[in-house]
Amino acid sequence: MADTIALIEAYLAGTMTEEEQSAFAERLSQEVELQAQMQQYQQGQAILEEAVSLRLKRQMQQMQRPSIDEISKLRPKQQAVLKPLRSQWLAWGVAAALAFLVLAAGIWWNNRSLGYQDYFEPYALASGLRGADPADQSWEYAYQQKAYEQAKAILTQIAQDEADWVEAQLYLGNIALAQHKPAEAIKPLQAVIELQSVRFQSTAEWYLLLAYWGQGDKRSAQQLAQKIAQNPQHPYLSKLKQIQGYLAD
């Protein structure tokens, strides 16, 4: 178990070699137990961050001393001196705590290893399905509710000769990325690009680039980045400029 956690941490931190990251991504796309461990680890990290935030909040509250009850027990002249001081202590405590939070957040952000997840946003549905019935069994409704397995089950049933097949491949790629399975996202996104879909070509290129990056295949990501950069009208050009430095590492 400890070895698995170490592998998960290295994978998320991007400290694996390209071969190791590719092999781990392949395992992650196939092993249900490993997927569950990955989810548990990420949930644990979120709980830890929340706990740290709560502890800082309690420390801020403790800095509000002396209390009103303590001041009320003093003589009037002493109260007159301590009440404004108490306000100053409170203000200083809040300012110090906020400064600490800003500093800690800055250190954490500068030292964290960014990955494709930091730039991935699931492709939005054009309709938005406003007012949809919760009993709706369409893949669009499931996708919007982040019921990805349900949406995936429906999308994979769309035959290649159907008009919606290309769109289905784009969303299957998105689902794989949302589930932290970049290796699984590559094939459907490549299919969209190979068919030169006018509607989804540029979008598929961006998500495929993220999939390559997530899998650890930076060479393919760099090649696709060069292709996108050559098109000044590409809708994801500005997003590409934000990550080019990470692809070059």
Side-chain angles (χ1 to χ4, degrees), residues 169-239:
Q169 301 313 296
L170 178 70
Y171 282 98
L172 284 171
N174 264 255
I175 289 172
L177 289 173
Q179 294 181 322
H180 306 290
K181 302 175 184 177
E184 188 177 306
I186 291 175
K187 185 176 179 180
L189 292 171
Q190 285 178 333
V192 178
I193 295 173
E194 289 171 0
L195 291 174
Q196 298 182 346
S197 166
V198 176
R199 182 180 175 189
F200 299 116
Q201 174 90 12
S202 298
T203 301
E205 289 175 348
W206 168 249
Y207 287 115
L208 180 59
L209 188 155
L210 294 181
Y212 283 143
W213 183 14
Q215 190 188 16
D217 186 358
K218 287 192 174 182
R219 178 177 297 178
S220 296
Q222 289 167 356
Q223 291 175 348
L224 190 50
Q226 291 175 357
K227 178 182 177 182
I228 294 174
Q230 292 172 357
N231 179 7
Q233 304 301 321
H234 200 287
Y236 291 90
L237 186 59
S238 61
K239 290 183 177 292

Coordinates of all heavy atoms in Angstrom, one line a residue, residues 169-239:
Q169 N -17.1 10.9 -29.5 CA -15.6 10.7 -29.3 C -15.0 11.8 -28.5 O -14.2 11.7 -27.6 CB -14.9 10.4 -30.6 CG -15.4 9.3 -31.4 CD -15.6 8.0 -30.6 OE1 -14.6 7.4 -30.0 NE2 -16.8 7.5 -30.5
L170 N -15.4 13.0 -28.8 CA -14.9 14.2 -28.1 C -15.3 14.2 -26.7 O -14.4 14.4 -25.8 CB -15.5 15.5 -28.8 CG -15.0 16.8 -28.1 CD1 -13.5 17.1 -28.3 CD2 -15.8 18.0 -28.6
Y171 N -16.5 13.8 -26.4 CA -17.0 13.8 -25.0 C -16.4 12.6 -24.3 O -16.1 12.7 -23.0 CB -18.5 13.8 -24.9 CG -19.1 15.2 -25.1 CD1 -19.5 15.6 -26.4 CD2 -19.1 16.1 -24.1 CE1 -20.0 16.9 -26.5 CE2 -19.5 17.4 -24.3 CZ -20.0 17.8 -25.5 OH -20.5 19.1 -25.7
L172 N -16.2 11.5 -24.9 CA -15.5 10.3 -24.3 C -14.1 10.7 -23.9 O -13.6 10.3 -22.8 CB -15.5 9.1 -25.3 CG -16.8 8.4 -25.4 CD1 -16.7 7.4 -26.5 CD2 -17.2 7.7 -24.1
G173 N -13.4 11.5 -24.8 CA -12.1 12.0 -24.4 C -12.1 12.9 -23.2 O -11.3 12.8 -22.3
N174 N -13.1 13.7 -23.1 CA -13.3 14.7 -22.0 C -13.6 13.9 -20.7 O -13.0 14.2 -19.7 CB -14.4 15.6 -22.3 CG -14.0 16.9 -22.8 OD1 -14.0 18.0 -22.1 ND2 -13.6 17.0 -24.1
I175 N -14.4 12.9 -20.8 CA -14.7 12.1 -19.6 C -13.4 11.4 -19.1 O -13.2 11.4 -17.9 CB -15.8 11.0 -20.0 CG1 -17.1 11.7 -20.2 CG2 -15.9 10.0 -18.9 CD1 -18.2 10.8 -20.7
A176 N -12.6 10.9 -20.0 CA -11.4 10.2 -19.5 C -10.5 11.2 -18.8 O -9.9 10.9 -17.8 CB -10.7 9.6 -20.7
L177 N -10.4 12.4 -19.4 CA -9.5 13.4 -18.7 C -10.1 13.8 -17.4 O -9.3 14.0 -16.4 CB -9.4 14.6 -19.6 CG -8.6 14.5 -20.9 CD1 -8.7 15.7 -21.8 CD2 -7.1 14.2 -20.6
A178 N -11.4 14.0 -17.3 CA -12.1 14.3 -16.0 C -11.9 13.2 -15.0 O -11.8 13.5 -13.8 CB -13.5 14.6 -16.3
Q179 N -11.7 12.0 -15.4 CA -11.5 10.9 -14.5 C -10.0 10.6 -14.3 O -9.7 9.5 -13.7 CB -12.2 9.6 -15.0 CG -13.8 9.8 -15.0 CD -14.4 8.5 -15.6 OE1 -14.0 7.9 -16.5 NE2 -15.6 8.2 -14.9
H180 N -9.2 11.5 -14.7 CA -7.7 11.3 -14.5 C -7.2 10.1 -15.3 O -6.4 9.3 -14.7 CB -7.3 11.3 -13.1 CG -7.9 12.5 -12.3 ND1 -7.4 13.7 -12.4 CD2 -8.8 12.6 -11.4 CE1 -8.0 14.6 -11.6 NE2 -8.9 13.9 -11.0
K181 N -7.7 9.8 -16.5 CA -7.3 8.7 -17.3 C -6.8 9.2 -18.7 O -7.5 9.0 -19.7 CB -8.4 7.7 -17.5 CG -9.0 7.1 -16.2 CD -10.1 6.2 -16.4 CE -10.8 5.7 -15.2 NZ -12.0 4.9 -15.4
P182 N -5.7 10.0 -18.7 CA -5.3 10.6 -19.9 C -5.0 9.6 -21.1 O -5.3 9.9 -22.2 CB -4.1 11.4 -19.6 CG -3.6 10.8 -18.3 CD -4.8 10.4 -17.6
A183 N -4.5 8.5 -20.7 CA -4.2 7.5 -21.7 C -5.4 7.0 -22.4 O -5.4 6.7 -23.6 CB -3.4 6.3 -21.1
E184 N -6.5 6.9 -21.7 CA -7.8 6.5 -22.3 C -8.4 7.6 -23.1 O -9.2 7.3 -24.0 CB -8.7 6.1 -21.1 CG -10.0 5.5 -21.5 CD -10.9 5.1 -20.4 OE1 -10.4 4.4 -19.5 OE2 -12.1 5.5 -20.3
A185 N -8.0 8.8 -23.0 CA -8.6 9.9 -23.7 C -8.0 10.0 -25.1 O -8.6 10.6 -26.0 CB -8.4 11.2 -23.0
I186 N -6.8 9.5 -25.3 CA -6.0 9.7 -26.6 C -6.8 9.1 -27.8 O -6.9 9.8 -28.8 CB -4.6 9.1 -26.4 CG1 -3.8 9.9 -25.4 CG2 -3.9 9.1 -27.8 CD1 -2.4 9.4 -25.1
K187 N -7.2 7.9 -27.7 CA -7.8 7.3 -28.9 C -9.0 8.0 -29.4 O -9.1 8.3 -30.6 CB -8.1 5.8 -28.6 CG -8.6 5.0 -29.9 CD -8.8 3.6 -29.5 CE -9.3 2.8 -30.7 NZ -9.5 1.3 -30.4
P188 N -10.0 8.3 -28.6 CA -11.2 9.0 -29.1 C -10.9 10.4 -29.7 O -11.5 10.8 -30.7 CB -12.2 9.0 -27.9 CG -11.3 8.8 -26.7 CD -10.2 7.9 -27.2
L189 N -10.0 11.1 -29.0 CA -9.6 12.4 -29.5 C -8.9 12.4 -30.8 O -9.1 13.2 -31.7 CB -8.8 13.1 -28.4 CG -9.6 13.5 -27.1 CD1 -8.6 14.0 -26.0 CD2 -10.7 14.5 -27.4
Q190 N -8.0 11.4 -30.9 CA -7.3 11.2 -32.2 C -8.3 10.9 -33.3 O -8.1 11.4 -34.5 CB -6.3 10.1 -32.1 CG -5.0 10.4 -31.3 CD -4.1 9.3 -31.2 OE1 -4.5 8.1 -31.3 NE2 -2.8 9.5 -31.1
A191 N -9.3 10.2 -33.0 CA -10.4 9.8 -34.0 C -11.1 11.1 -34.6 O -11.3 11.2 -35.8 CB -11.4 8.9 -33.5
V192 N -11.3 12.0 -33.7 CA -12.0 13.3 -34.1 C -11.1 14.1 -35.0 O -11.5 14.6 -36.0 CB -12.3 14.1 -32.8 CG1 -12.9 15.5 -33.3 CG2 -13.2 13.4 -31.9
I193 N -9.8 14.1 -34.7 CA -8.8 14.9 -35.5 C -8.6 14.2 -36.9 O -8.6 14.9 -37.9 CB -7.5 15.0 -34.8 CG1 -7.7 15.8 -33.5 CG2 -6.4 15.6 -35.7 CD1 -6.5 15.9 -32.6
E194 N -8.5 12.9 -36.9 CA -8.3 12.1 -38.1 C -9.5 12.3 -39.1 O -9.3 12.3 -40.3 CB -8.1 10.6 -37.8 CG -6.8 10.3 -37.1 CD -6.7 8.9 -36.7 OE1 -7.7 8.2 -36.8 OE2 -5.7 8.6 -36.1
L195 N -10.7 12.5 -38.6 CA -11.9 12.7 -39.4 C -12.0 14.1 -39.9 O -12.9 14.5 -40.6 CB -13.1 12.2 -38.7 CG -13.2 10.7 -38.5 CD1 -14.4 10.3 -37.7 CD2 -13.3 10.0 -39.9
Q196 N -11.1 15.0 -39.4 CA -11.1 16.4 -39.7 C -12.5 17.1 -39.5 O -13.0 17.7 -40.4 CB -10.6 16.6 -41.2 CG -9.2 16.1 -41.3 CD -8.7 16.3 -42.8 OE1 -9.4 16.6 -43.7 NE2 -7.4 16.2 -42.9
S197 N -13.0 16.9 -38.4 CA -14.3 17.4 -38.0 C -14.2 19.0 -38.0 O -13.4 19.5 -37.2 CB -14.8 16.9 -36.7 OG -15.9 17.7 -36.2
V198 N -14.9 19.7 -38.8 CA -14.9 21.1 -38.8 C -15.3 21.7 -37.5 O -14.8 22.7 -37.0 CB -15.8 21.7 -40.0 CG1 -15.8 23.2 -39.9 CG2 -15.3 21.2 -41.3
R199 N -16.3 21.1 -36.9 CA -16.9 21.6 -35.7 C -16.0 21.3 -34.4 O -15.9 22.2 -33.6 CB -18.3 20.9 -35.4 CG -19.0 21.4 -34.2 CD -20.3 20.7 -34.1 NE -21.0 21.1 -32.8 CZ -22.1 20.5 -32.4 NH1 -22.7 19.5 -33.1 NH2 -22.7 20.9 -31.2
F200 N -15.4 20.1 -34.4 CA -14.7 19.8 -33.2 C -13.1 19.6 -33.4 O -12.4 19.3 -32.4 CB -15.2 18.4 -32.7 CG -16.7 18.5 -32.3 CD1 -17.6 17.7 -33.0 CD2 -17.1 19.3 -31.3 CE1 -18.9 17.8 -32.7 CE2 -18.5 19.3 -31.0 CZ -19.4 18.6 -31.7
Q201 N -12.6 19.9 -34.5 CA -11.2 19.7 -34.8 C -10.3 20.4 -33.8 O -9.4 19.8 -33.1 CB -10.8 20.1 -36.2 CG -9.3 20.1 -36.6 CD -8.9 18.8 -37.1 OE1 -9.8 17.9 -37.5 NE2 -7.6 18.5 -37.2
S202 N -10.5 21.7 -33.7 CA -9.6 22.5 -32.8 C -9.7 22.2 -31.4 O -8.8 22.1 -30.6 CB -9.9 24.0 -33.0 OG -9.7 24.4 -34.3
T203 N -11.0 21.9 -31.0 CA -11.2 21.5 -29.6 C -10.5 20.2 -29.3 O -9.9 20.0 -28.2 CB -12.7 21.4 -29.3 OG1 -13.3 22.6 -29.6 CG2 -13.0 21.0 -27.9
A204 N -10.6 19.2 -30.2 CA -10.0 17.9 -30.0 C -8.5 18.0 -29.9 O -7.8 17.3 -29.1 CB -10.4 17.0 -31.1
E205 N -7.9 18.9 -30.7 CA -6.5 19.2 -30.6 C -6.0 19.6 -29.2 O -5.0 19.1 -28.7 CB -6.0 20.2 -31.7 CG -6.1 19.7 -33.1 CD -5.9 20.7 -34.1 OE1 -5.8 21.9 -33.8 OE2 -5.7 20.4 -35.3
W206 N -6.8 20.5 -28.6 CA -6.4 21.0 -27.3 C -6.5 19.9 -26.3 O -5.6 19.7 -25.5 CB -7.3 22.2 -26.9 CG -7.2 22.6 -25.5 CD1 -8.2 22.4 -24.5 CD2 -6.1 23.2 -24.8 NE1 -7.7 22.9 -23.3 CE2 -6.5 23.4 -23.5 CE3 -4.9 23.6 -25.2 CZ2 -5.6 23.9 -22.5 CZ3 -4.0 24.1 -24.3 CH2 -4.4 24.3 -23.0
Y207 N -7.6 19.2 -26.3 CA -7.7 18.1 -25.3 C -6.8 17.0 -25.5 O -6.3 16.3 -24.5 CB -9.2 17.6 -25.2 CG -10.1 18.6 -24.6 CD1 -11.2 19.2 -25.4 CD2 -10.0 19.0 -23.3 CE1 -12.0 20.2 -24.8 CE2 -10.9 19.9 -22.7 CZ -11.9 20.5 -23.5 OH -12.7 21.4 -22.9
L208 N -6.4 16.7 -26.7 CA -5.4 15.7 -27.0 C -4.1 16.1 -26.5 O -3.3 15.3 -26.0 CB -5.4 15.4 -28.5 CG -4.4 14.3 -28.9 CD1 -4.7 13.0 -28.3 CD2 -4.4 14.1 -30.5
L209 N -3.8 17.4 -26.6 CA -2.5 17.9 -26.1 C -2.4 17.7 -24.6 O -1.4 17.2 -24.1 CB -2.4 19.4 -26.4 CG -1.0 20.1 -26.1 CD1 -0.8 21.3 -27.0 CD2 -0.9 20.5 -24.7
L210 N -3.5 18.0 -23.9 CA -3.6 17.7 -22.5 C -3.4 16.3 -22.1 O -2.8 15.9 -21.1 CB -4.9 18.3 -21.9 CG -5.1 19.8 -21.9 CD1 -6.5 20.2 -21.3 CD2 -4.0 20.6 -21.2
A211 N -4.0 15.4 -23.0 CA -4.0 14.0 -22.7 C -2.5 13.5 -22.9 O -2.0 12.7 -22.1 CB -4.9 13.2 -23.7
Y212 N -1.8 14.0 -23.9 CA -0.4 13.6 -24.1 C 0.4 14.1 -22.9 O 1.2 13.3 -22.3 CB 0.1 14.3 -25.3 CG -0.3 13.6 -26.6 CD1 -0.5 14.4 -27.8 CD2 -0.3 12.2 -26.7 CE1 -0.9 13.8 -29.0 CE2 -0.7 11.6 -28.0 CZ -1.0 12.4 -29.1 OH -1.3 11.8 -30.2
W213 N 0.1 15.3 -22.4 CA 0.9 15.8 -21.3 C 0.6 15.0 -20.0 O 1.5 14.6 -19.3 CB 0.4 17.3 -21.1 CG 1.1 18.0 -19.9 CD1 2.3 17.6 -19.3 CD2 0.7 19.2 -19.4 NE1 2.6 18.5 -18.3 CE2 1.7 19.5 -18.4 CE3 -0.3 20.1 -19.6 CZ2 1.6 20.7 -17.6 CZ3 -0.4 21.3 -18.8 CH2 0.6 21.6 -17.8
G214 N -0.7 14.7 -19.8 CA -1.0 13.9 -18.6 C -0.4 12.5 -18.7 O -0.1 11.9 -17.6
Q215 N -0.3 11.9 -19.8 CA 0.3 10.6 -20.0 C 1.8 10.6 -19.8 O 2.5 9.6 -19.6 CB -0.1 9.9 -21.3 CG 0.3 8.5 -21.4 CD 0.1 7.9 -22.8 OE1 -0.1 8.7 -23.8 NE2 0.0 6.6 -23.0
G216 N 2.4 11.8 -19.9 CA 3.9 11.9 -19.9 C 4.5 11.9 -21.2 O 5.8 11.9 -21.3
D217 N 3.7 11.9 -22.3 CA 4.3 11.9 -23.6 C 4.5 13.4 -24.1 O 3.7 13.9 -24.9 CB 3.4 11.2 -24.6 CG 3.9 11.0 -26.0 OD1 5.1 11.5 -26.2 OD2 3.3 10.4 -26.8
K218 N 5.5 14.0 -23.6 CA 5.7 15.5 -23.9 C 6.2 15.7 -25.3 O 5.9 16.8 -25.9 CB 6.8 16.1 -22.9 CG 6.2 16.3 -21.5 CD 7.2 17.1 -20.7 CE 6.5 17.4 -19.3 NZ 7.4 18.3 -18.5
R219 N 6.8 14.7 -25.9 CA 7.2 14.9 -27.3 C 6.0 15.0 -28.2 O 5.9 16.0 -29.1 CB 8.0 13.6 -27.8 CG 8.4 13.7 -29.3 CD 9.3 12.5 -29.6 NE 10.5 12.5 -28.9 CZ 11.4 11.6 -29.0 NH1 11.3 10.6 -29.9 NH2 12.6 11.6 -28.3
S220 N 5.0 14.2 -28.0 CA 3.7 14.3 -28.8 C 3.0 15.6 -28.5 O 2.4 16.2 -29.4 CB 2.8 13.1 -28.6 OG 3.4 11.9 -29.0
A221 N 3.0 16.0 -27.2 CA 2.4 17.2 -26.8 C 3.1 18.4 -27.4 O 2.4 19.4 -27.9 CB 2.4 17.3 -25.3
Q222 N 4.4 18.4 -27.5 CA 5.1 19.5 -28.1 C 4.8 19.6 -29.6 O 4.7 20.7 -30.2 CB 6.6 19.3 -27.9 CG 7.0 19.5 -26.4 CD 8.4 19.1 -26.1 OE1 9.1 18.5 -27.0 NE2 8.9 19.3 -24.9
Q223 N 4.8 18.5 -30.3 CA 4.5 18.4 -31.7 C 3.1 19.0 -32.0 O 2.9 19.8 -32.9 CB 4.6 17.0 -32.3 CG 6.0 16.5 -32.3 CD 6.0 15.0 -32.7 OE1 5.0 14.3 -32.8 NE2 7.2 14.5 -33.0
L224 N 2.1 18.6 -31.2 CA 0.8 19.2 -31.3 C 0.7 20.6 -31.0 O 0.0 21.4 -31.6 CB -0.2 18.4 -30.5 CG -1.7 18.6 -30.7 CD1 -2.1 18.5 -32.2 CD2 -2.5 17.6 -29.9
A225 N 1.5 21.0 -30.0 CA 1.6 22.5 -29.6 C 2.1 23.3 -30.8 O 1.6 24.4 -31.0 CB 2.5 22.6 -28.4
Q226 N 3.1 22.8 -31.5 CA 3.6 23.5 -32.6 C 2.6 23.7 -33.7 O 2.5 24.7 -34.4 CB 4.9 22.8 -33.2 CG 6.1 22.8 -32.3 CD 7.2 21.9 -32.8 OE1 7.1 21.3 -33.8 NE2 8.3 21.9 -32.0
K227 N 1.8 22.6 -33.9 CA 0.7 22.7 -34.9 C -0.3 23.8 -34.5 O -0.8 24.6 -35.4 CB 0.0 21.3 -35.1 CG -1.1 21.3 -36.0 CD -1.8 20.0 -36.1 CE -3.0 20.0 -37.0 NZ -3.7 18.6 -37.1
I228 N -0.7 23.8 -33.3 CA -1.7 24.8 -32.8 C -1.1 26.2 -32.9 O -1.8 27.1 -33.3 CB -2.1 24.5 -31.3 CG1 -2.9 23.2 -31.3 CG2 -2.9 25.6 -30.8 CD1 -3.2 22.7 -29.9
A229 N 0.2 26.4 -32.6 CA 0.8 27.7 -32.6 C 0.9 28.3 -34.0 O 1.0 29.5 -34.2 CB 2.2 27.6 -32.0
Q230 N 0.9 27.4 -35.0 CA 1.0 27.9 -36.4 C -0.3 28.4 -36.9 O -0.3 29.1 -38.0 CB 1.4 26.7 -37.3 CG 2.9 26.3 -37.1 CD 3.2 25.0 -37.8 OE1 2.4 24.4 -38.5 NE2 4.5 24.6 -37.7
N231 N -1.4 28.3 -36.2 CA -2.7 28.8 -36.6 C -3.1 30.0 -35.7 O -3.5 29.8 -34.5 CB -3.8 27.7 -36.4 CG -5.2 28.2 -36.8 OD1 -5.3 29.3 -37.3 ND2 -6.2 27.3 -36.6
P232 N -2.9 31.2 -36.1 CA -3.1 32.4 -35.3 C -4.6 32.5 -34.9 O -4.9 33.3 -34.0 CB -2.7 33.5 -36.2 CG -2.7 33.0 -37.6 CD -2.4 31.6 -37.5
Q233 N -5.5 31.8 -35.6 CA -6.9 31.9 -35.3 C -7.4 30.7 -34.4 O -8.6 30.6 -34.2 CB -7.7 31.9 -36.6 CG -7.3 33.0 -37.6 CD -7.5 34.3 -37.0 OE1 -8.5 34.6 -36.3 NE2 -6.6 35.2 -37.3
H234 N -6.5 29.9 -34.0 CA -6.8 28.7 -33.2 C -7.5 29.2 -31.9 O -6.9 30.0 -31.2 CB -5.6 27.9 -32.9 CG -6.0 26.5 -32.5 ND1 -6.5 26.1 -31.3 CD2 -5.9 25.3 -33.2 CE1 -6.7 24.8 -31.2 NE2 -6.4 24.3 -32.3
P235 N -8.7 28.7 -31.6 CA -9.4 29.2 -30.4 C -8.7 28.9 -29.0 O -9.1 29.5 -28.0 CB -10.8 28.4 -30.5 CG -10.5 27.3 -31.3 CD -9.5 27.7 -32.3
Y236 N -7.7 27.9 -29.1 CA -7.1 27.6 -27.8 C -5.6 28.1 -27.8 O -4.8 27.7 -27.0 CB -7.1 26.1 -27.6 CG -8.5 25.5 -27.3 CD1 -9.3 25.1 -28.3 CD2 -8.9 25.5 -26.0 CE1 -10.6 24.7 -28.1 CE2 -10.2 25.0 -25.7 CZ -11.0 24.6 -26.8 OH -12.3 24.1 -26.5
L237 N -5.3 29.0 -28.6 CA -3.9 29.6 -28.7 C -3.5 30.2 -27.4 O -2.4 30.1 -27.0 CB -3.8 30.5 -29.9 CG -2.4 31.0 -30.2 CD1 -1.5 29.9 -30.5 CD2 -2.4 32.0 -31.4
S238 N -4.4 31.0 -26.9 CA -4.1 31.7 -25.6 C -3.8 30.7 -24.5 O -2.9 31.0 -23.6 CB -5.2 32.7 -25.2 OG -6.4 32.0 -25.0
K239 N -4.6 29.7 -24.4 CA -4.4 28.6 -23.4 C -3.1 27.9 -23.6 O -2.4 27.6 -22.6 CB -5.5 27.6 -23.4 CG -6.9 28.2 -22.9 CD -7.9 27.1 -22.9 CE -9.3 27.6 -22.3 NZ -9.2 28.0 -20.9

